[in-house]
Amino acid sequence: MITQITAVPKLYIGIDIHKRSWKVHCATDLFSGKYFSMNPNPEQLKDYVAKHFSGYEVSIAYEAGCCGYSAHRCFESYGWFSLVVNPADIHRKGKEKHTKTDKIDAQLISRELKDGRLDGIHIPDVDREELRSLFRRRNDLVKDFRRIKSYIKMQLLYFGIKEPEEFDNDHWSHKYRKWLDDIVFKNPTAKATLESRMRFFRFVDQELRDVSTQLRRYCKTYHKEDYMLLRSIPGIGGIVACGILCELGDLRRFNSVKHLAGYVGLAPGVHQSGSNYKTLGITPRAHRLIRSYFVEASWQAIRADPVMQAYYRKHQGRNVKSVIIKVARKLLSRTLAVIKTRTPYCIGVLE
């Protein structure tokens, strides 16, 4: 009797990626697998597969994290099927939730990949990924900017220095900054502390302005159509439009408003059992920064757009936070429509 292979053998690789090492678990369609540790080098893994699993159809997956997508792009260049997965999407059995090691994580990824229960996250192209890094750098600067302002206010409060009434607000005018520079302390050490903080404040302020300008200029140049469409929406300014383009990418990739709302985090959580049905509010799984952008934009939309204002007033009497989330969901729906139809936002008119 002559036997022949009727199907291509398959190899499933799960990797727990770290900076200094990779924990790898290999399994085929016939046996449970083998675990080993290796240097963080895609070429080394390719050589291992070529030596021990020549002729296999390779599928590989690892968790999204600090190591980015460079490994994923290498795996795809080898002709392998590659997934980068959200760690929260990897199913764990009851006892596995209480035991976590790198070896177990690699085994779980391999098992779920083999069973076909893994869905990969969206991988941006290199251009979008590098643009997103500039936007996230701006967010880091915003945090530093708020922090140094708090430190300066804290020092004034600690030493009992009362601000003039005209400066007791969040706006740091040039006049207020000059007043800070002219403050006289009893000892030079306190003055040196304030001067150091003011130098850092001015550095962060200028850096924030420069990065914001670069971000807007790039989006206007290379993503002009979508940028101008987003700018037509009430509440979405230059930086928010850049944030949407950087973090969400091309909105046309979303099949529906439900798909986009689930990604942003403006979808409700639901618990249903038998005849009991309960809405749990917005889901905790979200892109928190973009969700906050749409919530802030909604406050502007209800001021500028009579239709959105009527929708907001329709729900008056309920919790204000819940109502503005409903408005944000509606604004998100209109944003998707603006991009997909390539039609600028039109302020509504009540009949």
Side-chain angles (χ1 to χ4, degrees), residues 90-91 107-118:
I90 300 173
H91 173 72
Q107 289 175 340
L108 289 177
I109 296 172
S110 178
R111 183 189 71 192
E112 296 299 296
L113 180 63
K114 182 177 179 179
D115 293 343
R117 289 198 293 257
L118 286 183

Side-chain angles (χ1 to χ4, degrees), residues 164-298:
E165 188 174 344
E166 60 180 307
F167 300 142
D168 192 13
N169 52 59
D170 294 331
H171 178 59
W172 285 44
S173 63
H174 291 289
K175 192 174 180 181
Y176 176 58
R177 299 178 193 189
K178 185 177 184 307
W179 177 81
L180 288 172
D181 292 333
D182 294 339
I183 293 177
V184 178
F185 290 89
K186 183 177 180 180
N187 294 304
T189 49
K191 181 66 174 177
T193 303
L194 181 60
E195 288 176 346
S196 174
R197 284 176 172 153
M198 287 302 296
R199 285 195 300 271
F200 185 63
F201 166 78
R202 288 190 168 93
F203 168 77
V204 174
D205 183 34
Q206 187 60 47
E207 196 71 12
L208 180 58
R209 293 172 187 270
D210 292 344
V211 171
S212 299
T213 300
Q214 293 170 352
L215 194 60
R216 285 192 293 263
R217 184 185 297 123
Y218 188 92
C219 289
K220 284 181 182 178
T221 304
Y222 297 98
H223 303 282
K224 183 176 181 180
E225 181 186 11
D226 287 356
Y227 178 81
M228 298 310 297
L229 287 171
L230 290 170
R231 285 297 309 273
S232 69
I233 302 171
I236 296 184
I239 294 300
V240 176
C242 291
I244 294 172
L245 290 173
C246 296
E247 296 291 342
L248 300 184
D250 187 357
L251 294 182
R252 297 174 186 85
R253 69 184 176 88
F254 293 98
N255 299 324
S256 64
V257 177
K258 184 177 180 180
H259 184 195
L260 176 59
Y263 187 91
V264 174
L266 288 172
V270 175
H271 182 271
Q272 186 266 333
S273 178
S275 60
N276 297 324
Y277 186 90
K278 184 178 181 181
T279 302
L280 304 176
I282 56 175
T283 173
R285 180 167 174 170
H287 194 304
R288 298 184 184 279
L289 180 61
I290 299 301
R291 181 167 69 182
S292 69
Y293 279 172
F294 274 99
V295 172
E296 291 298 321
S298 298

